[in-house]
Amino acid sequence: MTRTEDAAPLETEVLVVGAGPTGLMAALVLARRGVRALVIDSKEGPTRESRALVVHARSMEIYDQLGLTQQVLDGAVPGTGIQIRGDRREFGAIHEKSGATEAEPGSTRRASRINIDQAQEGWTPFPGVQIFEQSRNEELLARTLATEGHPVLWQHGLESLVSDADSPDAGVEAVVTGPDGPLRIRARWCIGADGAGSAVRHQLSLPFEGVTDDATFCVADVHGVTGLPENLLVAQFGNEKFAILFPLGPGGHKRLIWLHGEEHPDQETALTEARTDLGIDYDSVDWFSAYRVHHRIASTFHQGAVFLAGDAAHVHSPLGGQGMNTGLQDAHHLAHLLADVLSGHRSESALARYELERRPVALTLIEWTDQAFGMIARPGRGTAFLRRRARDVMAVLAPRLLSTRLGPYVGGLLGQYRIRYHAVPKGEQPPRWAADPAVGLRLPPTRENAEGLRAMSWQLHTYGTDADRPVAVPDWVEGPFAFSPDPWGRLRRDRLYLVRPDGFVAASFPLHAGAAAVHEVREALQAHDVVG
C-alpha cells in the first residue's frame, strides 16, 4: 500500500529512533512493562560489524531481568581479567602454564594479571566480562522483540520531528521515509537512540559539547594471534604505542584496538606499524576501521516529550568498553521510568530523574576515559616512556589493590554496578530513609532476591527479619518479602527496603518492633514522585 502524508498517523506510546543496543533495550523493557513502543531505523537490519564488544556485570544483570542471560552466555567469550604485557623484546614469548602467566626462560620480566572476576565475586552473579559483540546484542534484542510481537520497522529513517518543549503533554509527531513512501507517527514520547550523529538531537537543535581528539583510533579483528591467553583481555605496551586486545574466540581470534597517530592511515600501514612496535603477529584480518575519538555530551538528555540515550546523548573513548553498557543502562533506566509514569505509579515530574541520575554517570565516564585516553593511549616517544613507567607500577600494584578491601569497590566500578543515584544533592544531609549506604545503589544480589527482581515491579524487602506493611505504601507496591540475612552484611536486618523496578534501592526505613515510621515512608515516596 502506498503511503501519503495525508494518511492517518500511526499511533504508539513511545517512538524509539535507532535500533542499536540502546534503542532495542528500551523497546524490550517497555514491552515487558506493557507499553506500546515502535522502533524505527534506516538500516536494513541489525549491525553486522562487531563494533562494541564488552558486556559488563551490570548489563548482564539487566539481561537476567529480561530472561536472556543464558543466550548471552551461550554466544559470548568470557573474560576473567586483564594481562599487562610489554612487547616480545621485553617479555619474551609469554604463555600460559597451569593457570599462571610466565615468561620464557632467560626473561627477567613477567606479565602481570589482574583478576577482575575475583574482585567481583559475591557482589554480582556475573563476575568478569562477556565478550558479546554489538552485532550479537542487536540480533538477540531485535529477535526477541519480533518474537514477542514488536518487530523493528527497518529501512525507515527519521525525516522530521515535531515536539513542543513547553507542552510535553502534546507528545511528538514524526515523519519517516521508508520503501513505501512517507509515514507519519504520533507518540506520547520519543527516545532518540540513533547514535553520535543523532537526527533526533539535531531536530531539537541541542548542543553536543566536547572535543574531538586529533589522533586516529584503529580497530581490527584478526585471526591467528599466538602467544596470548584465550580468556583474558591484554594490555600490550610497545615502544611508542599502546593496544588492548579482546578475545573473540578460538584460533587466536582477537580484537586489536590502538592509536595510530595524527594521520588517517590505510589498513596496511596501520597494521604494519602495530605489528612492528607492539610485536603482535597474526594470520588474517576480518575487519579494519580507523576513526577519530570524540568526548562529547548533549546539553540536556530531556526536552519536552523527547529523551536522548546512549551515543545520542554521550560519546567517549572506547577504552574500558563502557560505551555500549552505558547505553544499555540508559535505556533500562528510562524505559522503567516511562512505564511507571504511564501506569500511574509515578507523576510526570518523575521524568526529570532520568537526566538527574543518568547525566552525571555520563559526565564521570567521559572525564575518566578522557584522562585515561591522554595518559595511556596517546602515541609518541615521550608519552610512551611515561606509560612504560606507569605500566611497571600498575603491574605490581593493581593485582595487590584488587586483593585488598578496595578490590570489590574497584570491581564494582569496572562492572558498573557501583553506580549511585543520590537522593539529595552532594553535600546535603540525607534524610533518615536515605542514610543507609545501600540507598541509591542497585540492590545487592543474594541467593533469594534475583527472582523477585525479574518481576519488574516496586517491592518491599527485608533481610533477616519480618516487617509490617506501612499503611502509606500504595497497594501496587509488592511485599514486604522476607529474605534470609545477607551473608555479606550489605543489607541490614533492621531495615525495610523499597526497591524500584530497575533494581535500585529507593529507600531504607529503620524498623522499630517491625514497623517503619509512617512519616519517613511518606517522605521517601514523595521524593520519588510516587503516586499513592
Side-chain angles (χ1 to χ4, degrees), residues 25 58 95 174 222 259 293 327 417 450:
M25 174 62 74
R58 175 55 188 160
H95 62 280
V222 295
L259 267 176
V293 173
Y417 55 83

Side-chain angles (χ1 to χ4, degrees), residues 70-146:
Q70 193 58 50
Q71 295 184 59
V72 176
L73 293 174
D74 288 345
V77 176
T80 59
I82 303 172
Q83 187 184 79
I84 302 173
R85 292 168 42 112
D87 66 26
R88 66 188 60 192
R89 289 182 293 270
E90 285 194 283
F91 284 92
I94 300 174
H95 62 280
E96 293 266 285
K97 181 179 180 181
S98 301
T101 306
E102 301 180 345
E104 246 184 16
S107 172
T108 61
R109 305 292 297 277
R110 290 178 180 268
S112 175
R113 174 169 172 168
I114 302 172
N115 295 311
I116 299 174
D117 58 340
Q118 292 182 12
Q120 296 177 340
E121 195 71 44
W123 293 84
T124 175
F126 308 101
V129 300
Q130 300 298 324
I131 310 302
F132 192 68
E133 301 98 310
Q134 177 176 332
S135 56
R136 295 190 177 188
N137 280 270
E138 291 185 15
E139 194 278 330
L140 171 61
L141 291 167
R143 183 179 69 245
T144 304
L145 277 168

Side-chain angles (χ1 to χ4, degrees), residues 16 20-33 35 57-68 141 191 193 307-310 314 323-340 346 351 353-354 357-358 416-417 419 421 441-443 450 452-458 499-505:
V16 181
T22 300
L24 294 169
M25 174 62 74
L28 184 55
V29 174
L30 287 166
R32 295 289 179 85
R33 294 287 305 272
V35 177
R58 175 55 188 160
S59 297
M60 288 298 296
E61 293 173 2
I62 291 173
Y63 273 124
D64 185 59
Q65 190 181 47
L66 294 167
L68 300 176
L141 291 167
I191 299 175
F307 301 83
L308 299 177
H314 46 80
M324 179 173 66
N325 292 270
T326 307
L328 290 171
Q329 292 167 50
D330 285 347
H332 184 253
H333 181 289
L334 178 57
H336 278 300
L337 186 57
L338 294 176
D340 276 346
R346 302 175 82 176
L351 297 177
R353 280 193 168 269
Y354 173 62
E357 294 183 345
R358 293 303 301 173
Q416 291 200 353
Y417 55 83
I419 290 170
Y421 302 144
L441 295 174
R442 71 88 167 90
L443 183 72
L453 292 177
R454 296 188 185 107
M456 295 188 177
S457 60
W458 285 79
V499 184
R500 304 188 323 193
D502 63 358
F504 277 76
V505 179

